[in-house]
Amino acid sequence: MKQVPIISLEEAVTKVKDGDILLQGGFGMTGNPIHLMHALAKTSTKNITFVGNNVGEVGIGGGRLLRNGQLKKMIGSFFTSNPEAVKAAQDGVVEYELLPQGTLAEALRAGGAGIGGFFTPTSVGTLLAEGRETKILNDIEQVFIPSIKGNVAFIRAWKADTAGNLQYRMTEQNFNRAMATAADLVIVEVEEIVPVGEISPEAIHTPGAYVDYLVQATLTLEDLGSSASVSSNKKASESRMNMAKRALQELNKGDVVNLGIGIPTLVADLITEDDGIILHTENGMLGVGPTPTDGGGAMDYPVNAGKIPVTALKGASYFDSADSFAMIRGKHVDVAIMGGLQVDEGANLANWAVPGQPLLGVGGAMDLATGAKKLIITMMHNEKNGDAKVVDSCDLPFTALNAVDMIITDKAVFKFIDNKLTLIEVMPGSTLEEVRKTTTASFIEKLEK
């Protein structure tokens, strides 16, 4: 049986050379090889192209390399979780490439499988598709994405045997599994190393054939950043709860449902076991339960796409980000409920960028908006300054075109019926006249109650 060398952190980081492409696993700080990253931050290695979902958090993980000026380029999905990464990108200090989260995961999986690239409908018609080749395949416009490979991958597993077979914990598979296949040299930071045979074959997530070196490193609460613990004292306004309750009415028993951050998250608090709704989170979990009530964090619980610790219901399952987005693109997610900045008469959604603001991250929004069977947008009807958010034409960057099925605001409920924006309901506390005055989009009125 193969024997994988067990080396120190200091020896491991000497494997990364100036100018290398470094793949870093993790979703936020969960499943993040933080000890390897911090050891690399103590070296003089520079001009690194960093590939990961996000560049750590401020001053930790990849964020420490960024502060040190060791990064030449960042390729990722959600830089917004680290304001210093956003500033570095927007100031032109560091080159960057922003990819939808599912596209990033699939590009890594393709790279590891020896595939040159792939076509996907995700991001078609958006800023992220500009300059890329597109084709009509199966009557759907799709954009070409080259695969991604790295010189070195830093990943984290919970358990490894001496042959390099890996087992991940809860939602810590995320990008680690794909990255383990997609680099010339794979170095694994692991909580526990055991003799061959102590991990049963069916419990191995990454076979040892992909692994070159093991490093033992113990996880602490401080290593988990903002996911280290969770407060259970959140309180939502009546109008926001009304939107969540109305969205819940659209869900059926047995539905697989993905909830975005913000107002959609409130729907999770309303779902009971009797509802039979299966919550999906794109970082790798089906069967998401409510927020833990004991204040525990990611040391003890899985996390959702907002990097918030959650519980797992009976029958829950874990998987990696590539499989998760295959579920989404393959139309195995019945409903996605997302927040929005604007929705227009053409069922187009804008919800990821505002010019001039320190935002730089699309996450899984484009994949979900394109891939879910039904898309419900929950948002306030107007901006704080009174500007309409249900508009004739979006003037913010698109997330997805012709994708929205329903809009639920604090004032109204709209459906797209025969491709026409249709008002079907006025929300509690509002009036039809108020809806008419505060909506700039043209709409048909077919009030159901």
Side-chain angles (χ1 to χ4, degrees):
M1 183 60 70
K2 175 182 178 182
Q3 186 84 9
V4 173
I6 301 170
I7 60 176
S8 67
L9 286 166
E10 292 73 21
E11 186 179 356
V13 297
T14 65
K15 310 295 183 184
V16 183
K17 308 301 181 186
D18 286 358
D20 272 356
I21 299 172
L22 175 66
L23 313 182
Q24 184 230 269
F27 183 82
M29 298 311 298
T30 58
N32 190 302
I34 186 171
H35 301 89
L36 283 167
M37 297 300 289
H38 286 181
L40 183 60
K42 294 177 181 177
T43 72
S44 60
T45 308
K46 59 186 184 300
N47 294 323
I48 296 167
T49 295
F50 172 94
V51 182
N53 184 61
N54 52 288
V55 189
E57 295 182 4
V58 173
I60 63 174
R64 192 166 292 187
L65 274 69
L66 176 69
R67 275 189 176 179
N68 290 350
Q70 292 172 275
L71 303 186
K72 172 187 176 184
K73 183 176 181 179
M74 309 177 295
I75 300 174
S77 158
F78 198 75
F79 300 127
T80 304
S81 57
N82 184 345
E84 292 182 356
V86 176
K87 188 174 191 311
Q90 294 181 337
D91 289 350
V93 175
V94 179
E95 300 172 46
Y96 73 94
E97 181 179 355
L98 185 62
L99 293 171
Q101 193 177 122
T103 297
L104 175 62
E106 192 64 22
L108 290 159
R109 178 158 68 177
I115 296 170
F118 57 95
F119 283 91
T120 175
T122 300
S123 80
V124 165
T126 74
L127 292 174
L128 301 193
E130 289 185 358
R132 297 189 183 275
E133 178 188 358
T134 61
K135 280 188 178 181
I136 305 295
L137 299 171
N138 300 321
D139 298 322
I140 299 172
E141 186 177 4
Q142 305 194 37
V143 59
F144 181 74
I145 304 294
S147 62
I148 295 175
K149 288 205 69 173
N151 300 107
V152 180
F154 282 175
I155 66 172
R156 180 167 177 94
W158 194 248
K159 186 179 286 188
D161 67 22
T162 51
N165 296 308
L166 307 180
Q167 186 177 40
Y168 305 100
R169 183 183 70 142
M170 298 185 293
T171 46
E172 293 177 2
Q173 293 185 46
N174 50 65
F175 284 88
N176 284 304
R177 272 181 54 193
M179 287 181 172
T181 73
D184 299 328
L185 192 71
V186 176
I187 304 174
V188 186
E189 173 184 312
V190 63
E191 187 77 12
E192 182 183 7
I193 302 172
V194 300
V196 170
E198 285 204 15
I199 306 175
S200 62
E202 61 269 23
I204 291 168
H205 298 123
T206 294
Y210 293 111
V211 174
D212 296 293
Y213 296 98
L214 298 174
V215 176
Q216 195 281 323
T218 301
L219 194 68
T220 68
L221 277 176
E222 290 73 23
D223 299 329
L224 293 169
S226 61
S227 296
S229 62
V230 62
S231 170
S232 59
N233 296 323
K234 65 179 179 180
K235 186 176 181 181
S237 67
E238 183 179 2
S239 61
R240 290 167 69 88
M241 288 307 303
N242 283 340
M243 283 185 269
K245 290 174 184 176
R246 183 60 185 83
L248 180 60
Q249 294 177 28
E250 297 298 313
L251 307 183
N252 300 308
K253 196 165 189 175
D255 277 351
V256 175
V257 179
N258 183 287
L259 301 176
I261 60 174
I263 295 169
T265 304
L266 300 175
V267 178
D269 296 333
L270 304 174
I271 294 172
T272 67
E273 191 172 338
D274 291 339
D275 291 321
I277 293 163
I278 305 160
L279 293 183
H280 168 273
T281 182
E282 58 261 39
N283 56 305
M285 182 180 179
L286 274 177
V288 178
T291 301
T293 57
D294 60 6
M299 189 71 82
D300 306 300
Y301 294 99
V303 301
N304 65 14
K307 305 175 184 67
I308 297 170
V310 293
T311 54
L313 300 180
K314 290 180 181 179
S317 58
Y318 302 115
F319 33 87
D320 78 330
S321 295
D323 281 348
S324 186
F325 282 96
M327 289 182 195
I328 295 166
R329 286 191 303 273
K331 301 292 183 183
H332 304 292
V333 172
D334 296 295
V335 184
I337 305 176
M338 300 169 59
L341 297 172
Q342 291 178 335
V343 179
D344 68 21
E345 296 172 15
N348 303 315
L349 169 67
N351 80 339
W352 70 277
V354 178
Q357 290 195 16
L359 301 171
L360 192 64
V362 67
M366 288 185 180
D367 304 274
L368 284 158
T370 303
K373 292 178 185 175
K374 181 177 182 179
L375 178 61
I376 300 172
I377 301 302
T378 58
M379 62 183 185
M380 301 304 290
H381 200 87
N382 299 91
E383 298 285 1
K384 290 181 180 178
N385 65 3
D387 287 351
K389 298 176 74 171
V390 184
V391 296
D392 56 348
S393 180
C394 292
D395 57 20
L396 294 175
F398 288 125
T399 301
L401 305 182
N402 191 29
V404 179
D405 296 288
M406 174 177 274
I407 310 165
I408 300 172
T409 76
D410 54 319
K411 291 183 172 65
V413 180
F414 297 90
K415 277 186 180 178
F416 285 89
I417 301 174
D418 298 326
N419 297 318
K420 299 292 185 182
L421 181 65
T422 305
L423 175 68
I424 63 167
E425 190 176 325
V426 175
M427 290 288 280
S430 187
T431 65
L432 179 58
E433 186 60 28
E434 186 178 8
V435 173
R436 289 171 177 162
K437 285 183 177 180
T438 57
T439 307
T440 59
S442 299
F443 58 88
I444 298 168
E445 295 175 14
K446 289 186 179 179
L447 296 176
E448 296 180 354
K449 59 181 178 179

